[in-house]
């Protein structure tokens, strides 16, 4: 059984990789395990500061994209540009 822990915190729960055979499953597992942990950082030129994005924030953004694409009623396999 393969497990991965967050390098930022040894207290973070391990994610069992054996059942996570898709990126969406891996993403959901990471969000559930460490919702307030930093997911990534990006520089904001408008504020001239680095901003930390947390896994819960990224999950909320993903849900907004899912809702937007669902509302478009695109057929399965449709191509979109982001």
């Amino acid at each position: 059984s393969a497990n991965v822990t967050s390098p930022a915190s040894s207290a973070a729960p391990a994610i069992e990789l054996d059942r996570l055979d898709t990126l969406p499953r891996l993403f959901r597992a990471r969000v559930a395990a460490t919702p307030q942990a930093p997911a990534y950082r990006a520089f904001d030129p408008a504020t001239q500061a680095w901003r930390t994005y947390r896994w819960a924030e990224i999950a909320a953004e993903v849900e907004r994209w899912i809702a937007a694409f669902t509302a478009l009623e695109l057929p399965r396999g449709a191509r979109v540009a982001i």
Side-chain angles (χ1 to χ4, degrees), residues 2-67:
N3 293 321
V4 174
T5 57
S6 172
S9 169
S10 60
I15 294 178
E16 293 186 30
L17 297 178
D18 295 343
R19 291 186 224 155
L20 304 175
D21 56 351
T22 67
L23 285 175
R25 286 184 182 133
L26 182 59
F27 176 75
R28 286 190 297 269
R30 172 52 65 201
V31 171
T34 58
Q36 294 307 313
Y40 67 91
R41 298 185 71 201
F43 187 76
D44 182 353
T47 63
Q48 292 293 299
W50 286 92
R51 178 168 179 335
T52 299
Y53 292 88
R54 311 241 174 244
W55 285 107
E57 291 176 279
I58 303 309
E61 186 67 23
V62 167
E63 290 302 318
R64 285 190 287 276
W65 279 98
I66 290 170

